[in-house]
Amino acid sequence: MFFASVTDFVEAFNFKDEVKTVEIDLSKAHIWDESGVSAIDKIVIKFHENEIKTTIIGLNAASESIVDSIAVFNKPNGINQNIGH
């Protein structure tokens, strides 16, 4: 996932579903740049705003590394500090 594909990725989710949890499996994806990480942040934060617990699974080692270094959703209190941004 990179800058050219993130809009379609984010738009593929329904943030108003009547579910309590969502698991996003990225085992067949690779996060190439900061825009991909930003898309994951946006999705997790939007679900959080709607009280839907979200788990990201299946990241390959390189993708996990970039997500761990840039993402907000996985930092202590990161979601709550970024709601509305």
Side-chain angles (χ1 to χ4, degrees):
M1 182 170 24
F2 63 106
F3 71 94
S5 61
V6 296
T7 301
D8 290 340
F9 179 66
V10 173
E11 289 176 355
F13 291 90
N14 179 355
F15 300 103
K16 303 286 185 182
D17 269 346
E18 304 247 346
V19 297
K20 297 207 185 277
T21 62
V22 170
E23 185 175 83
I24 301 172
D25 184 354
L26 296 175
S27 60
K28 297 191 188 258
H30 183 82
I31 310 304
W32 288 99
D33 59 20
E34 189 172 332
S35 63
V37 177
S38 179
I40 294 169
D41 268 340
K42 185 177 202 174
I43 290 164
V44 173
I45 290 167
K46 280 197 129 337
F47 277 128
H48 179 79
E49 289 171 346
N50 290 304
E51 300 178 5
I52 300 170
K53 182 181 180 330
T54 309
T55 306
I56 305 294
I57 64 166
L59 289 171
N60 62 40
S63 296
E64 187 170 356
S65 178
I66 193 170
V67 168
D68 284 346
S69 66
I70 298 173
V72 173
F73 77 89
N74 58 353
K75 306 295 187 284
N77 212 21
I79 289 177
N80 294 327
Q81 292 176 356
N82 286 286
I83 290 178
H85 292 288

